[in-house]
Amino acid sequence: MARASDPPEGAERRRTPRKRTAKLTMRMGVGYDSHRFGPGNAVRLGGVSIPHDRALTGHSDADAIAHAVTDALLGAAGEGDIGSMFPDTDPANRLRDSIEMLALAMAHLRDRGWRANNVDVTVIAELPRIAPYREAMRDALAAALNLARASVSVKGKTNEGMGWIGRGEGIACIAVATVVPVAS
Ligand code: MG
């Protein structure tokens, strides 16, 4: 016989009391950057100088990986972008080391209560080849972000010869980053 305390027919009975769960706030951001090739003998990517028959041109050292990662982290925290933090109208940013800018952006996020959780980067370039420099890039990025190498991923892709990347006019980079509260 049904009792008054029974759930209505068809309703799911809750077998265990609802647990209090710790609230984890993780936020994700995406960053994109591209730079054009110009005269030179090395490209700077992910804090690593790679010998090449051209260089990437830009106001700073044109490190597209560092720029995309910076934007991904700033985006994750809702803290603007690299252009607003390091304007190219400021002479101090000319030829500036982009890993230094990344570290400064990370310090700003820490002041706001965030730490980096992980970073994943894809570089799209016909040349130079990324793979031989991947581990050095992971180390440079991880050091700037106070992360373990295992939390930083760098991958290289060609554009299969298509479009401006395929013609070797420049390279592009996409980064995704997650941040979590410093206390977690
Ligand atoms: Mg850039």
Side-chain angles (χ1 to χ4, degrees):
M1 185 177 161
R3 288 172 299 179
S5 59
D6 283 350
E9 203 173 333
E12 228 174 84
R13 186 193 293 264
R14 186 178 294 157
R15 294 176 198 283
T16 50
R18 189 168 294 191
K19 283 181 187 156
R20 280 172 170 257
T21 50
K23 196 173 174 190
L24 174 64
T25 304
M26 178 182 288
R27 292 175 43 155
M28 181 167 67
V30 64
Y32 170 85
D33 196 35
S34 60
H35 280 272
R36 184 186 295 271
F37 281 117
N41 55 20
V43 301
R44 180 93 168 159
L45 280 172
V48 177
S49 290
I50 303 174
H52 194 48
D53 59 1
R54 284 174 296 169
L56 293 170
T57 62
H59 188 73
S60 65
D61 64 2
D63 186 334
I65 291 182
H67 295 175
V69 169
T70 303
D71 263 356
L73 287 161
L74 290 172
E79 288 291 327
D81 61 25
I82 190 171
S84 53
M85 198 167 177
F86 304 99
D88 62 9
T89 49
D90 184 348
N93 295 328
R94 188 168 148 64
L95 301 177
R96 192 164 187 178
D97 180 345
S98 298
I99 290 291
E100 179 198 328
M101 291 195 278
L102 174 60
L104 286 171
M106 197 61 242
H108 170 73
L109 295 190
R110 267 192 294 272
D111 286 346
R112 298 296 176 118
W114 298 103
R115 65 176 175 84
N117 181 65
N118 85 299
V119 170
D120 184 23
V121 182
T122 298
V123 187
I124 308 144
E126 299 299 321
L127 287 171
R129 287 192 64 231
I130 300 302
Y133 304 94
R134 182 209 309 262
E135 300 309 312
M137 291 176 182
R138 292 174 76 194
D139 284 342
L141 294 166
L145 301 176
N146 198 24
L147 279 175
R149 179 196 272 189
S151 299
V152 178
S153 158
V154 176
K155 313 181 298 297
K157 301 281 286 184
T158 75
N159 212 38
E160 299 284 344
M162 296 181 287
W164 60 268
I165 294 175
R167 290 189 297 273
E169 294 172 21
I171 73 162
C173 185
I174 299 166
V176 172
T178 56
V179 296
V180 291
V182 168
S184 65

